[in-house]
């Protein structure tokens, strides 16, 4: 790569790292600014149909979700999902992660049927993957348990929490 592209790539990585740190520290406006700058650089470097762009959209979506902009967060997660599907196919960990992100928005909106649908799609993907790539299967089972708990279906919640515990 020519030097400017290398420099832009490193800048994008650093901006993403800063965004992650600011997000973890609760500095959401700083996180958003860093993530949006990284996303713009990535789109310039690799185009809009690349896994880096999908990751950037998910990062922005995560901040939007914390800020309560759930429709915008979901739109980012949906866009990331479509890119992940085109880049990796339907049965990839990145696709499962995007489905989980979408499920979490539906869960936060108390749209439990849609949350369950997305979490179960993610779980099916994780179950089909080799064990070393299916690390989020336990977390997904816990998410499903939390949805059932939110619905007052405590036996189903317990079943999924126990399944998650058995994997850990």
């Amino acid at each position: 790569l020519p030097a400017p592209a290398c420099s832009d790539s490193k800048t994008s990585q650093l901006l993403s790292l800063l965004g992650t740190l600011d997000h973890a520290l609760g500095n959401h406006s700083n996180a958003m600014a860093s993530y949006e700058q990284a996303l713009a650089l990535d789109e310039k470097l690799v185009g809009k149909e690349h896994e880096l762009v999908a990751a950037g959209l998910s990062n922005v979506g995560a901040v939007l979700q914390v800020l309560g902009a759930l429709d915008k967060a979901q739109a980012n997660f949906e866009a990331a999902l479509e890119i992940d599907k085109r880049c990796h196919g339907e049965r990839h960990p990145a696709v499962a992660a995007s489905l989980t992100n979408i499920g979490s928005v539906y869960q936060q909106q108390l749209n439990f049927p849609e949350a369950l649908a997305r979490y179960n799609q993610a779980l099916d993907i994780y179950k089909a993957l080799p064990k070393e790539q299916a690390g989020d299967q336990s977390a997904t089972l816990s998410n499903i348990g939390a949805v059932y708990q939110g619905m007052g279906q405590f036996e189903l919640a317990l079943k999924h929490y126990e399944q998650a515990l058995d994997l850990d």
Side-chain angles (χ1 to χ4, degrees), residues 131-159:
K131 192 169 189 134
E132 62 275 1
Q133 291 181 323
D136 286 337
Q137 187 174 343
S138 175
T140 304
L141 285 163
S142 292
N143 290 338
I144 293 169
V147 170
Y148 281 124
Q149 184 175 346
M151 295 170 67
Q153 296 183 21
F154 301 116
E155 291 298 321
L156 283 172
L158 182 61
K159 173 186 160 194

Side-chain angles (χ1 to χ4, degrees), residues 54-165:
L57 287 165
S58 291
N59 288 340
V60 170
V63 175
L64 289 167
Q65 185 175 7
V66 168
L67 294 175
L70 300 181
D71 290 339
K72 290 179 182 178
Q74 183 175 348
N76 275 275
F77 294 147
E78 295 277 1
L81 173 64
E82 293 309 312
I83 294 169
D84 284 332
K85 285 180 178 179
R86 288 190 292 272
C87 289
H88 302 293
E90 300 276 332
R91 313 281 298 164
H92 189 273
V95 172
S98 289
L99 287 165
T100 298
N101 289 339
I102 295 164
S104 71
V105 171
Y106 281 125
Q107 184 177 357
Q108 194 171 343
Q109 293 170 326
L110 305 180
N111 186 341
F112 297 132
E114 291 295 332
L116 282 174
R118 298 316 182 281
Y119 288 150
N120 279 309
Q121 287 175 303
L123 183 61
D124 288 344
I125 293 170
Y126 287 131
K127 284 181 175 179
L129 293 171
K131 192 169 189 134
E132 62 275 1
Q133 291 181 323
D136 286 337
Q137 187 174 343
S138 175
T140 304
L141 285 163
S142 292
N143 290 338
I144 293 169
V147 170
Y148 281 124
Q149 184 175 346
M151 295 170 67
Q153 296 183 21
F154 301 116
E155 291 298 321
L156 283 172
L158 182 61
K159 173 186 160 194
H160 285 85
Y161 288 143
E162 288 173 343
Q163 288 175 357
L165 191 58

Side-chain angles (χ1 to χ4, degrees), residues 13-101:
Q13 290 173 355
L14 288 171
L15 285 166
S16 289
L17 290 170
L18 283 172
T20 301
L21 182 60
D22 279 324
H23 186 60
L25 292 171
N27 300 326
H28 302 303
S29 61
N30 290 348
M32 182 67 79
S34 294
Y35 283 151
E36 286 177 334
Q37 288 175 22
L39 178 59
L41 275 174
D42 287 339
E43 287 177 340
K44 183 177 104 176
L45 288 169
V46 297
K48 292 183 184 267
E49 292 294 319
H50 193 277
E51 62 188 343
L52 286 174
V53 173
L57 287 165
S58 291
N59 288 340
V60 170
V63 175
L64 289 167
Q65 185 175 7
V66 168
L67 294 175
L70 300 181
D71 290 339
K72 290 179 182 178
Q74 183 175 348
N76 275 275
F77 294 147
E78 295 277 1
L81 173 64
E82 293 309 312
I83 294 169
D84 284 332
K85 285 180 178 179
R86 288 190 292 272
C87 289
H88 302 293
E90 300 276 332
R91 313 281 298 164
H92 189 273
V95 172
S98 289
L99 287 165
T100 298
N101 289 339

